[in-house]
Amino acid sequence: MAAKELVGVVGSGSFGLAIADLLSENVKVLVYARRSEVVDAIRRREGEYAHLSPDLEVCNDAGEICQRCTLLFVMIPSQGFRAVMKSFAPHLRPSHLLIHGTKGLDWSLLTADKPIELQYIRTMSQVIEEETVVCRVGCLSGPNLSSEIREGQPAATLISSHYNEVIKAGQNALRSSRFLVYGNYDVLGAELAGALKNIIALAAGILGGRDFGKNLWALLITRGLSEMIHMGKAMGADVKAFLGIAGIGDLVATAASTNSRNYQVGYRLAKGETIKDILASMTEVAEGVRTLEIVKKLSNSLKVSTPIIEILYRVFYREMDVDRAIRFLMEYDYSVDVDYL
């Protein structure tokens, strides 16, 4: 019997380890964790790491994981993504295949004296291509709440890449009886859909925190999807990506689940906590907060009408009263229902 392939996971957060769990059903897994104390805890299978496969290995050496693994799943928050890619760059080869699962945007090229414009924004795939010699890149996007994956519940995802071998390698490594893996070639659409839906999940959490029902929630999802599509089109993406599993599929899951970090941020804000205290108390990143700032300013630059994003920005960054924000959106003059097809 042929030995199992060794596949790497860069990142030891909840989503990275959920993906490692799925991978361990088909392949051997090597996880990269930056902090030595996390490496030690995973090796001893302590606490939250007790459920991990006994075959799963862990290291904190970028050279080791790049040398031993050709296929790498990169699960790093957007804010630190470029720095991690720079540190990995000396060890990566053109033969590597990289699939990231980061649902955010990079704007580290921006200088303080310039407005946020499209030319300064990068997706994670673009960051990989800028900072390393790897060109066969893909992204993982879809309704993949890590808590449900760890519980063994059925789910599905999308691997998007310009390279068929990346899609096939990702599918072969991840697909199982409980995890469907779709594939397509619209990388930009998949990445933008995954990033933009986190903003709407913040708003969904606010509605939950104010105890509103499903009528208003459904209105938010519908109008939020419209704003996602208009922003995506302005940034060069195709509408189709937002109508599939990486778009509306991920949006519905993230905006409906109390296990979603972005939903939780909105919920807690609506209950009276400050955004500063909420973020300080979180052990993992809620990508939607950072993405909200980027996309609001970018929508101004691109002259895209995004009233939900605009009002959310005022709530999160200008301390606008939540009830006033909801009243504003209910009084906003939406003259057309579907205007993106």
Side-chain angles (χ1 to χ4, degrees):
M1 184 177 179
K4 284 186 175 181
E5 175 188 6
L6 183 65
V7 173
V9 175
V10 180
S12 57
S14 59
F15 188 44
L17 293 180
I19 293 300
D21 266 345
L22 287 168
L23 289 167
S24 66
E25 297 183 19
N26 298 320
V27 298
K28 295 175 68 176
V29 182
L30 175 61
V31 172
Y32 168 87
R34 181 178 55 85
R35 293 182 293 150
S36 57
E37 61 268 28
V38 174
V39 172
D40 292 340
I42 291 176
R43 284 177 177 160
R44 292 193 294 264
R45 297 302 192 269
E46 291 178 348
E48 62 184 298
Y49 308 117
H51 69 282
L52 295 174
S53 166
D55 295 329
L56 181 147
E57 300 179 58
V58 62
C59 73
N60 63 351
D61 186 331
E64 178 183 350
I65 194 171
C66 291
Q67 181 178 9
R68 296 179 64 191
C69 304
T70 300
L71 175 61
L72 297 171
F73 286 82
V74 184
M75 307 293 166
I76 299 293
S78 62
Q79 192 162 0
F81 198 94
R82 187 178 290 273
V84 172
M85 287 299 98
K86 284 182 177 179
S87 69
F88 269 65
H91 311 289
L92 289 167
R93 305 178 299 275
S95 56
H96 276 106
L97 309 179
L98 264 62
I99 300 173
H100 78 81
T102 303
K103 297 173 181 177
L105 297 170
D106 176 88
W107 61 328
S108 59
L109 299 178
L110 187 69
T111 56
D113 61 339
K114 294 182 179 179
I116 292 182
E117 297 178 351
L118 189 56
Q119 62 181 314
Y120 302 116
I121 304 302
R122 299 290 188 272
T123 65
M124 300 304 111
S125 290
Q126 291 166 341
V127 172
I128 294 171
E129 292 166 353
E130 287 180 350
E131 299 295 346
T132 77
V133 296
V134 178
C135 60
R136 292 185 295 173
V137 176
C139 78
L140 186 74
S141 193
N144 301 147
L145 296 166
S146 56
S147 58
E148 295 184 7
I149 291 174
R150 289 197 307 270
E151 292 169 0
Q153 295 190 34
T157 197
L158 170 74
I159 293 178
S160 186
S161 176
H162 299 307
Y163 296 88
N164 194 55
E165 60 263 45
V166 174
I167 297 171
K168 292 300 181 184
Q171 288 176 325
N172 291 338
L174 276 175
R175 183 183 287 151
S176 70
S177 60
R178 68 181 177 102
F179 201 67
L180 298 175
V181 186
Y182 295 87
N184 75 15
Y185 305 106
D186 184 8
V187 182
L188 179 62
E191 288 185 289
L192 293 182
L196 292 169
K197 59 84 187 175
N198 284 330
I199 298 174
I200 309 306
L202 295 173
I206 288 174
L207 297 188
R210 280 291 193 265
D211 298 319
F212 285 109
K214 292 305 181 184
N215 285 334
L216 188 56
W217 181 88
L219 176 62
L220 170 69
I221 298 303
T222 307
R223 298 313 311 173
L225 177 64
S226 177
E227 292 191 18
M228 288 168 56
I229 291 173
H230 285 301
M231 279 302 304
K233 288 174 68 176
M235 296 174 73
D238 190 285
V239 173
K240 289 181 182 178
F242 295 86
L243 302 179
I245 192 169
I248 193 168
D250 199 3
L251 171 62
V252 169
T254 310
S257 175
T258 56
N259 291 326
S260 158
R261 290 191 292 272
N262 292 288
Y263 182 100
Q264 274 296 319
V265 170
Y267 183 92
R268 292 171 62 182
L269 187 71
K271 290 297 187 184
E273 295 185 58
T274 67
I275 186 62
K276 181 180 179 180
D277 289 343
I278 295 169
L279 297 181
S281 71
M282 297 183 74
T283 57
E284 294 192 301
V285 174
E287 289 281 5
V289 179
R290 184 167 181 265
T291 305
L292 171 60
E293 181 179 9
I294 298 171
V295 173
K296 185 270 177 186
K297 295 178 180 178
L298 186 59
S299 70
N300 292 348
S301 173
L302 295 173
K303 295 181 171 53
V304 179
S305 176
T306 53
I308 294 173
I309 293 171
E310 173 69 35
I311 289 299
L312 269 181
Y313 178 83
R314 295 185 195 179
V315 169
F316 276 84
Y317 289 95
R318 296 290 184 266
E319 298 184 353
M320 185 179 189
D321 178 72
V322 167
D323 293 323
R324 182 185 171 202
I326 293 171
R327 286 197 304 272
F328 177 90
L329 290 174
M330 288 302 299
E331 294 169 0
Y332 189 84
D333 184 17
Y334 289 107
S335 57
V336 180
D337 185 10
V338 178
D339 57 359
Y340 47 77
L341 294 178

